[in-house]
Amino acid sequence: MFWLPFLVVTISTAITVAHWAYKWSNPKPTTGPSTSSQLPPGSMGWPLIGETFQFFARSDSLEVPPFLRERTAKYGKIFKTSLAGRRVVVSSDPDFNHYILQQEGKLVELWYLDSFAEIIGQSTTSLKEAWNAQELHKSLKKSVYDHIGVERLKGKLVGRMEEMVGRTLDGWAGRAEAEDPGGVEVKRACSKMVMELSSNILFGHDPTKFHQHLSDMFESFTRGLLSFPLKIPGTTFHACLQSQKKILRIITDVIEERRRRLEETAPLETPAVGRRDGGEIDLLDQLIDDARTKGFPDDKGISYLIFGLLFANAETIPSVLTLALSFLDDHPLLLHQLVKENEEILRSRGSTGGNGLTWKEYKSMNFTMNVINEALRLNGSVGIIRRTIEDVHINGYVIPKGWTIAVMPTAVHMNPDVYQDPLSFNPSRWKDIGGSTSTKNFIPFGGGMRTCVGAEYSKALMAVFLHVLVTKYRWKKVKRGRIYRAPTLQFGDGYFIHISRKND
């Protein structure tokens, strides 16, 4: 009978594990009035792993990823799941999304899944508290806006963008077909351009001082960002962490050098005036001064803030521009309309109208902005994450305090009830979309108080790029891979083009 104790232990363990697995798969509200309510429908998947692997499953088209498509069909637009060990409610309901994004500091707070939070600095207690403290967030947001917002765009930034785009496209055009039969890979080349401009504007980065370009580091970082979080050498996630460390080291080195320089020079005045020693203030100068006068951010906070701003530009702008060019390649009539609008700007200047694009001209580019909006819609994004700080009640369901809410822009942007034939590239649809409709159904830059502070900067840069490209250059496709989602938008084997100057 020596086997009886072993059998008892085995059966007890099996029962305990089965009970734990059942409780994981069937969570119940446990606090306050929530005990009389139900959680949204859905499946929690496997214990701990949840449905993480299904979430990352590839979709071989621009369609809503299968994870969302299948569960929305089965459970509705709001459902529960588990991702990377977190209990999550996923929403593609525009009204609920709009409501949640307005509840910052009331029902929800800024939140990231644990592995992502570690990478962008949100796992650091002081940074997390700072981001979720509304006064500090407003102060940081104002500092950023002062340097890349509308007033700076009206002043010098649009001109700097046009200058940078011109140099970039000249470089592309200089690669003759005979010497470079493979052509320019658009997304990678756009990433380099965007990173060079943004890093210089934000913290005076000089790419010529480094062997590896920041855009290459961010490419490696982004590739591993949404992979399974295994910190084992050789994994994609480990490479992501190594790229993050390199980028932060570069930023930190610049911060240390800048502190030394600012201590030796006169103090700051305002971004519009510059330093009293005659230099121009960039965002890094301003953040260092904020740390001195307001006590936040510290050097770690500054480095992660700049890192986050660079990351926001590193993926979205290159993807949207690549998508726009790819679709314009397939729609010559739309391309003709884009060229016509932008060439009209040049003609309307006359012989004494100056050479640089003005803010007024940028704001007149209606069809150009429709092209950008349509590419933004089709690009989508993985999700906007919040964590509940109170129980949230919706349609008879409850989302308990401490759960994560994931707003899914891709699903919202592909809603056929709002966007007829949503997979088609149709910039003209934006002439008929009203403001209230687009506020809830078009969220490429988030919403509520966390709307991306660089939204206008991003749109202006994309518009300037298209303006310079279609007025001074022409391009032809060399090859293009299949576009798919995994879960972010990917361009398969890339989109390669040759470009040439129109006056050649």
Side-chain angles (χ1 to χ4, degrees), residues 310-477:
L310 290 174
F311 172 64
N313 286 321
E315 183 64 19
T316 300
I317 297 176
S319 289
V320 172
L321 288 176
T322 306
L323 198 61
L325 265 60
S326 177
F327 275 114
L328 289 168
D329 213 6
D330 294 334
H331 296 81
L333 292 179
L334 295 178
L335 177 57
H336 174 74
Q337 194 171 347
L338 182 67
V339 172
K340 182 179 178 183
E341 176 178 84
N342 283 274
E343 287 187 341
E344 181 58 35
I345 289 174
L346 301 185
R347 281 193 295 271
S348 66
R349 289 178 188 168
S351 58
T352 59
N355 296 318
L357 188 68
T358 66
W359 177 256
K360 183 178 179 181
E361 289 170 342
Y362 158 63
K363 296 302 286 185
S364 74
M365 296 159 63
N366 296 324
F367 184 74
T368 304
M369 194 52 61
N370 289 345
V371 168
I372 291 168
N373 282 339
E374 187 69 341
L376 280 166
R377 181 186 71 83
L378 289 165
N379 183 64
S381 67
V382 177
I384 303 167
I385 308 296
R386 297 291 183 267
R387 182 173 66 172
T388 58
I389 54 179
E390 299 289 345
D391 289 352
V392 176
H393 295 268
I394 178 71
N395 298 339
Y397 298 116
V398 64
I399 304 171
K401 177 182 177 180
W403 278 50
T404 299
I405 297 176
V407 170
M408 309 304 287
T410 299
V412 174
H413 294 177
M414 292 293 179
N415 184 355
D417 295 331
V418 177
Y419 303 104
Q420 185 179 9
D421 192 11
L423 291 177
S424 69
F425 181 73
N426 179 16
S428 297
R429 73 169 86 242
W430 292 92
K431 292 188 299 185
D432 305 318
I433 293 178
S436 60
T437 300
S438 60
T439 299
K440 293 182 180 180
N441 293 283
F442 186 57
I443 48 175
F445 299 106
M449 68 175 288
R450 297 283 177 180
T451 300
C452 178
V453 69
E456 194 66 49
Y457 170 90
S458 299
K459 290 188 286 187
L461 179 51
M462 290 186 279
V464 170
F465 178 89
L466 292 175
H467 171 77
V468 177
L469 176 65
V470 301
T471 55
K472 296 184 178 180
Y473 303 87
R474 59 175 64 86
W475 81 91
K476 66 178 181 179
K477 177 177 66 180

Side-chain angles (χ1 to χ4, degrees), residues 79-148:
F79 62 87
K80 68 175 183 285
T81 185
S82 172
L83 301 174
R86 285 279 171 184
R87 291 173 170 177
V88 181
V89 167
V90 177
S91 172
S92 56
D93 183 297
D95 291 323
F96 178 65
N97 296 344
H98 182 74
Y99 171 71
I100 284 297
L101 294 175
Q102 305 302 315
Q103 295 300 311
E104 187 83 30
K106 302 172 187 175
L107 294 178
V108 300
E109 65 179 0
L110 181 69
W111 187 251
Y112 298 101
L113 297 179
D114 295 339
S115 58
F116 188 66
E118 178 183 349
I119 289 172
I120 64 167
Q122 284 290 315
S123 60
T124 304
T125 302
S126 62
L127 291 175
K128 190 189 301 181
E129 290 173 352
W131 281 120
N132 284 315
Q134 290 195 27
E135 289 308 311
L136 282 172
H137 174 257
K138 287 179 181 177
S139 176
L140 287 173
K141 190 171 183 177
K142 182 181 184 304
S143 294
V144 175
Y145 190 79
D146 283 344
H147 290 272
I148 61 172

Side-chain angles (χ1 to χ4, degrees), residues 169-184 476 478 497-501 504:
L169 293 177
D170 268 345
W172 294 9
R175 294 160 63 170
E177 289 186 42
E179 299 169 4
D180 184 22
V184 175
K476 66 178 181 179
V478 176
I497 64 171
H498 278 301
I499 83 166
S500 56
R501 299 176 185 86
D504 284 353

